[in-house]
Amino acid sequence: MGRNPESPIGVFDSGVGGLTVLLEIYRQMPWESVIYFGDTDRVPYGNRTAGEIITFVQEILDWFAAQQVKMVIMACNTSSALALEVVRPLYDFPILGLILPGARAAVQVGKRIGVLATTATVNSNAYGDAILESSQGKAQVWQVACPEFVPLIEQGRIFDPYTIAVARTYLRPLLARRIDTLVFGCTHYPHLAPIIREILPPSVRLVDPAVFVTQAALQELSLLGLSRPYPYHPGQTSFYVSGCPEQFAQLASRWLGEIPIVAKLVPSTVRLSS
Ligand code: DGL
């Protein structure tokens, strides 16, 4: 059969962060089918080394290749920052990351740009480089690593007073710089948008790279002749996680509005057995 317009798009993250990209796919191209993988057994990625992240990403991409996906969206900034350039030449399907679409969107609207991201993403300076390049050096960037956010979000503690206090601490240095734009440099963080919005002045623009990577995916599928053809029917999503499927299903239902059916998958096992 091979890859064709009816093939699914692969979307992955370390956990529920990638749902912010999945929801954008539902909004912008609801006719496409998706295979979603959350590496919940190994979350968080943000405290890991580049070597570990590249290994995990290759395992996941090998599995997606076996599923005959027509494209992969890395719904994970940490993977996009540390692994995208390494793995892209190794596969024969397009692989999209969040950093460039996010940086380009930010420089369209702001000059004093704050980025919240994982420690690994901040240390890579991927957003710093991409924003400076996209703005031809005209924008200023300040990045803050937020290692406490992903575990809190994976525990569903979105409106917990402790989470709000942590968010205030992370945003303080960006407020001191009088940022005009904030980039969610981790796909988990838009889940905190309601509390972050409350802490920032209303004039600060929020940029969610999920919106822009999905726009890029839509365009690229069309250019490659791989969009699902008219007449469109709603796409299907299959969910897989490496950790506990029930826990993921419960948490994900907050954002999906229904409890998804989730299967367990261990990527390295799949690789060894395939
Ligand atoms: N949501 C991912 C990101 O965008 C990974 C976060 C993590 O696992 O630390 O960076």
Side-chain angles (χ1 to χ4, degrees):
M1 253 198 351
R3 254 164 231 126
N4 62 67
E6 292 291 337
S7 305
I9 300 171
V11 173
F12 77 90
D13 178 45
S14 59
V16 292
L19 296 179
T20 57
V21 174
L22 185 65
L23 291 172
E24 272 306 311
I25 294 175
Y26 290 171
R27 201 173 66 81
Q28 297 188 39
M29 40 182 182
W31 52 84
E32 295 292 351
S33 290
V34 173
I35 302 180
Y36 185 97
F37 176 67
D39 200 357
T40 52
D41 197 37
R42 303 190 285 199
V43 67
Y45 276 13
N47 305 334
R48 294 188 179 268
T49 63
E52 284 177 305
I53 292 163
I54 292 166
T55 304
F56 298 167
V57 167
Q58 273 191 257
E59 287 173 3
I60 296 164
L61 292 175
D62 287 350
W63 181 72
F64 275 139
Q67 310 309 304
Q68 300 275 2
V69 295
K70 60 184 177 185
M71 166 183 278
V72 168
I73 304 179
M74 287 188 173
C76 170
N77 289 269
T78 309
S79 305
S80 309
L82 284 106
L84 180 60
E85 298 309 324
V86 179
V87 298
R88 206 176 232 161
L90 307 179
Y91 297 88
D92 64 355
F93 44 81
I95 306 174
L96 275 63
L98 292 146
I99 309 283
L100 211 51
R104 286 185 179 146
V107 304
Q108 293 295 315
V109 294
K111 290 253 177 315
R112 302 179 65 82
I113 299 171
V115 179
L116 298 181
T118 65
T119 305
T121 301
V122 168
N123 288 345
S124 76
N125 200 37
Y127 269 107
D129 292 340
I131 288 171
L132 287 186
E133 200 181 303
S134 307
S135 70
Q136 286 151 358
K138 292 194 187 95
Q140 287 180 282
V141 195
W142 296 276
Q143 302 175 70
V144 176
C146 311
E148 289 212 60
F149 273 167
V150 167
L152 287 167
I153 295 163
E154 290 287 330
Q155 290 162 31
R157 294 171 62 188
I158 310 290
F159 296 100
D160 192 318
Y162 179 74
T163 308
I164 297 170
V166 169
R168 283 191 192 285
T169 308
Y170 288 149
L171 288 168
R172 196 166 298 134
L174 299 179
L175 288 168
R177 295 291 185 177
R178 290 175 291 105
I179 57 163
D180 55 28
T181 303
L182 179 77
V183 178
F184 290 121
C186 169
T187 51
H188 280 76
Y189 303 171
H191 292 319
L192 297 176
I195 66 167
I196 287 176
R197 186 72 280 175
E198 288 291 302
I199 299 169
L200 292 172
S203 59
V204 175
R205 294 183 187 89
L206 300 182
V207 172
D208 181 357
V211 175
F212 305 98
V213 75
T214 307
Q215 278 175 9
L218 184 63
Q219 279 170 13
E220 187 149 348
L221 287 174
S222 159
L223 275 174
L224 296 171
L226 281 174
S227 303
R228 211 162 152 230
Y230 189 84
Y232 301 127
H233 300 292
Q236 307 286 318
T237 307
S238 337
F239 292 92
Y240 296 87
V241 293
S242 55
C244 173
E246 292 75 25
Q247 197 182 323
F248 179 88
Q250 276 304 328
L251 186 60
S253 67
R254 269 177 185 247
W255 298 290
L256 297 175
E258 58 182 18
I259 300 181
I261 298 167
V262 183
K264 186 165 170 97
L265 173 82
V266 181
S268 51
T269 315
V270 170
R271 187 167 65 144
L272 290 175
S273 62
S274 60

